[in-house]
Every structure is written in structure tokens, then in C-alpha cells.
Amino acid sequence: AQVFNFSSGPAMLPADVLKQAQQELCDWRGLGTSVMEVSHRGKAFIQVAEEAEQDLRDLLNIPSSYKVLFCHGGGRGQFSAVPLNILGGRTTADYVDAGYWAASAIKEAKKYCTPNVIDARITVDGRRAVRAMSEWTLSADAAYLHYCPNETIDGVAINETPNFSPEVVVAADFSSTILSAPLDVTRFGVIYAGAQKNIGPAGLSIVIVREDLLGKAHASCPSILDYSVLNDNGSMFNTPPTFAWYLSGLVFKWLKQQGGLAAMDSVNQQKAALLYEVIDNSDFYRNDVAPANRSRMNVPFQLADSALDALFLEESFSAGLHALKGHRVVGGMRASIYNAMPLEGVRALTEFMVDFERRRG
Ligand code: PLP
């Protein structure tokens, strides 16, 4: 039976991409070696790197005034890289706290500055929600504003597009939502994302940074986190994660074949609507996030009777629906439904949920 993997990351990759990678694994481009074994400075890999960047630029409509960096260090690496690169001598930055990952970024930023924390966690009709951007009180001396538009663990999303005055540099952690829908890059100073959810395998992270923000890194910034150093070296200051970069490039081509980000947005909306509908139409399942802030990528849900959790996980796994256990911080279940999860996977999950409720409810 087909397996659908609802893991929050590392997450499912498109089946077509994996098939292509499998076919090319031992003999890439007729070279008699795998892509993992060729020099990152050789012509063949440089072509992969350049095509991946161009495809990403096409998908996100990234203006030429933004640099794209392919880095190591994951999302958490960027929790340090952002302050080290763009504090620019200032001592504070605005940090919006709306969930686990935003809070983790704040914890890291405290090593480099005194963040002005904007507590955006609110409750609407008894459900978890996020304060509207218009109510975020920014401080005058902040070097930048940081927020996380999709909280992978909490299942909370900030769907508004930032529209602050032009001098506000917005830095955002798009790790679990990048490429799931069109994005106006020009509203941001820095966009970063770990690859292992919507892009490709773990080991690669992507930074999209406005060029005027380069060259301001703190003297103590490690070279491998310094945006200017990475940019000046074509993201090859140290040996890049070449296999992850290659696979991500295949994912970008796959996304283009699907019709780009508008097409992904449409499928992602359908997937999320289907799942939330089953949850909302039942007293057996529950999601406690206010509708306006529900994530389209990560859907946490609880069973009314948590004594059935283990059975739900056992039976769903047997039905080919893997990795539904919720994060240890939140408990219950979580279905991550990134780009590579087909609509039929979500259908299979909802059919299982309805049937499980019928049998056990
Ligand atoms: N930010 C978000 C929104 C995440 O979901 C994660 C990981 O799940 C991270 C940051 C941390 O990423 P990494 O494990 O690549 O450091």
C-alpha cells in the first residue's frame, strides 16, 4: 500500500523527484559517478547550483537586488546569523513571539542583543491566535523586526503580508512555509528557511537577503554565517551540502512543472480545508487554533479521549499514514501537509479519521 508521510521534517519529497534521483544516483549525467562525488567547483555542479538559484528566483519572483544563499546550519543557524549580520552596531531588534520557533529565535538573539519582545500570543473565542500586525508595537531603535510566519509545532500561522514603513527591515523564518504559496519578497529584508520541509533534504538552508544588508556583519560573526562572505563566494566558502542542493534543484523544477506557487497554493488550500473540515465537523477531534491563524502546513489535532492516542497512531501507521504523532511540547497528533503531500494523501488521512471515529467514537 502507498505510504503517506505526515512528518513535520525531514518531510516527504515529491515521488517523481526521488525516482529521478534514484535513476541518477550511481551515474549522474553519464559521468560514471554520483552527484555527491563530484567537485562543487566543477562545471557540472556549478550548472546545478546556478540552475537551482535561477529556478528559485523564477518561482518566488526574486528581484535582482536580492541575493540568494545556499547555506549549512539549518533554521537555527539563521537564529544567530540574522543578528550577527544585520544588527549593524545597534543593540536591539524587535522580535514577535507567536510560538515555539519565534521564542527559540528570541532565546538565541539574546546572545547578541537585547530583543524587544512583542508578545503576539492571544486568545480569540477560547482559541489560540496571533495579534494583528497593526497592533505590533515596534521600537524606534530596533535594527530589524523578526517573526515566524508559520509555527510548525503550534500549527499557528501569520498570514498577513508585512506592510511596515520602508525603513523597517523585516527578517522572517519561512522554514515551514516557503514555496507553499506566492510571496512578495520585496516586503522583507531577510527570508530564511531550513530546506527539510518544503524544499528538499535536511542539511541545506536558504537565505534570501536584500543586497544593501550585506557588509554589516559583526566582527565576531563566523565566516560561514557571514552573508557577504557567502555571497562573495557563490555560497561555496566552505564545501556546500551538494546532494541537498542538487535534490532541492530537482524540487524547484518539479514545482515549476506543477504550475508554480499559485498552483501549489491552490492545492495546499484544498488539502488544509479538507482536513480542518473533518476536524471541525466532529466532537471526536479538536483543533484549538482560531481559523484566521490556522496553519496550512502543520495541522495539530487532539482526540477527545487521549486514551485512544496510541491506538490511533498504531492503526494509522498500519494504514500507511505515517508520522502523525504530535510534537512532545503539544501532544496529540499533527499532520504536516507540505507541498510534496498530494491531495490523495490528505484524503486517505481524512477517510481514516472518519472511519476511526465511527469504530471507536
Ligand atoms: N524554524 C522553524 C519554523 C522550524 O520549523 C524549525 C524546525 O523544525 C526550525 C526553525 C529549526 O530548523 P533546523 O532544525 O533546521 O535548525
Side-chain angles (χ1 to χ4, degrees), residues 8 73-77 79 101 148 150-152 173 175-176 194 196-197:
S8 65
R76 283 189 187 272
F79 292 172
W101 287 111
C148 177
N150 188 75
E151 286 287 354
T152 321
D173 175 3
S175 292
S176 51
Q196 66 273 19
K197 298 153 197 307

Side-chain angles (χ1 to χ4, degrees), residues 6 271 274-275 337 341-351:
F6 293 90
K271 281 154 43 184
L274 185 62
L275 186 47
I337 50 176
M341 173 62 66
L343 183 57
E344 60 181 303
V346 178
R347 263 202 209 105
L349 172 61
T350 52
E351 282 162 14

Side-chain angles (χ1 to χ4, degrees), residues 67-82:
K67 301 299 179 190
V68 178
L69 310 174
F70 292 78
C71 324
H72 292 276
R76 283 189 187 272
Q78 292 305 315
F79 292 172
S80 294
V82 167

